[in-house]
Amino acid sequence: MDSAPSPTHGAHSATAAEPAPPPLPVKLVIAGGFGVGKTTAVGAISEIRPLTTEAAITEVAAGVDDLTHTPGKTTTTVAMDFGVITIDPTLKLYLFGTPGQDRFGFMWDDVVEGALGGLVIVDTRRLDDCYAAVDYFEHKDIPFAVAINAFDGEVQHELDEVRWALDVSEHIPLTVFDARETGSVRDALLVVLDVALDRAKAAEPA
């Protein structure tokens, strides 16, 4: 009886596995007033060295920007911050931080274009600085969440009080996080993703 032919040298006995698709790129914006922790948040979570466009705070700028609660701040974002974080093998977030001062507001449209959603960071010690960011996302009808940065581990007001003060609708998530901690920033960004995905599902035809 003839024996079965031996496998050809170098031949594969099974079909090679298909390479996994690259993660889906998603753009998110981190916004808020001057000195609330936007640059810190991007730096805390980015898996690459963040790209920042910061300039020194001059004596003239110090007279315009309120440094009462950030006396050690020596630089400020004048265009945007940029960072990247891979959430899992299927999803990669591209993070864009906006400048906080009103005089740089003309850049917001360019920074926000194409974003799936936004995270508005709030400092409860100076809520007035956060109205503009909340109004912007509401006006543009971009899904967003509000994250209260717990400076020194403390929040000056209860969440319900902050919601009332900012006139934020009940359907917009309000959370507390620490912009210095990677896991805390990640959790806040996942809240934004949930909001954006819920909006996308609601828009799907029945």
Side-chain angles (χ1 to χ4, degrees):
M1 180 182 295
D2 294 335
S3 58
S6 58
T8 304
H9 180 69
H12 295 286
S13 59
T15 304
E18 292 292 332
L24 178 69
V26 172
K27 179 179 179 179
L28 293 183
V29 172
I30 297 179
F34 170 75
V36 297
K38 301 182 297 296
T39 300
T40 300
V42 173
I45 197 170
S46 179
E47 63 194 31
I48 65 170
R49 183 176 181 178
L51 169 66
T52 60
T53 52
E54 293 199 323
I57 298 177
T58 63
E59 291 185 9
V60 173
V64 176
D65 300 321
D66 184 5
L67 301 178
T68 303
H69 296 289
T70 54
K73 189 172 178 62
T74 59
T75 61
T76 183
T77 300
V78 295
M80 70 173 187
D81 299 314
F82 174 75
V84 178
I85 178 64
T86 302
I87 296 297
D88 60 37
T90 67
L91 185 64
K92 177 176 285 190
L93 303 184
Y94 291 85
L95 309 175
F96 291 77
T98 65
Q101 301 92 326
D102 290 342
R103 62 183 180 277
F104 297 125
F106 65 92
M107 300 179 181
W108 276 49
D109 285 347
D110 290 334
V111 175
V112 172
E113 184 178 2
L116 185 68
L119 181 70
V120 176
I121 301 179
V122 169
D123 180 355
T124 56
R125 299 171 299 181
R126 44 198 176 93
L127 289 174
D128 288 353
D129 293 345
C130 305
Y131 293 139
V134 172
D135 288 345
Y136 180 89
F137 282 93
E138 288 183 335
H139 178 72
K140 293 290 185 178
D141 195 28
I142 298 173
F144 73 99
V146 175
I148 300 171
N149 194 1
F151 287 89
D152 300 321
E154 297 182 1
V155 176
Q156 298 293 321
H157 304 282
E158 298 292 333
L159 292 184
D160 288 343
E161 294 174 334
V162 175
R163 184 180 294 279
W164 176 85
L166 293 176
D167 193 23
V168 175
S169 302
E170 289 293 334
H171 72 276
I172 297 174
L174 197 63
T175 187
V176 177
F177 86 128
D178 188 330
R180 301 165 297 182
E181 296 184 1
T182 300
S184 189
V185 176
R186 183 179 186 275
D187 289 344
L189 293 174
L190 289 178
V191 172
V192 178
L193 280 175
D194 286 342
V195 173
L197 291 175
D198 287 345
R199 170 78 69 86
K201 290 178 181 177
E204 291 179 353

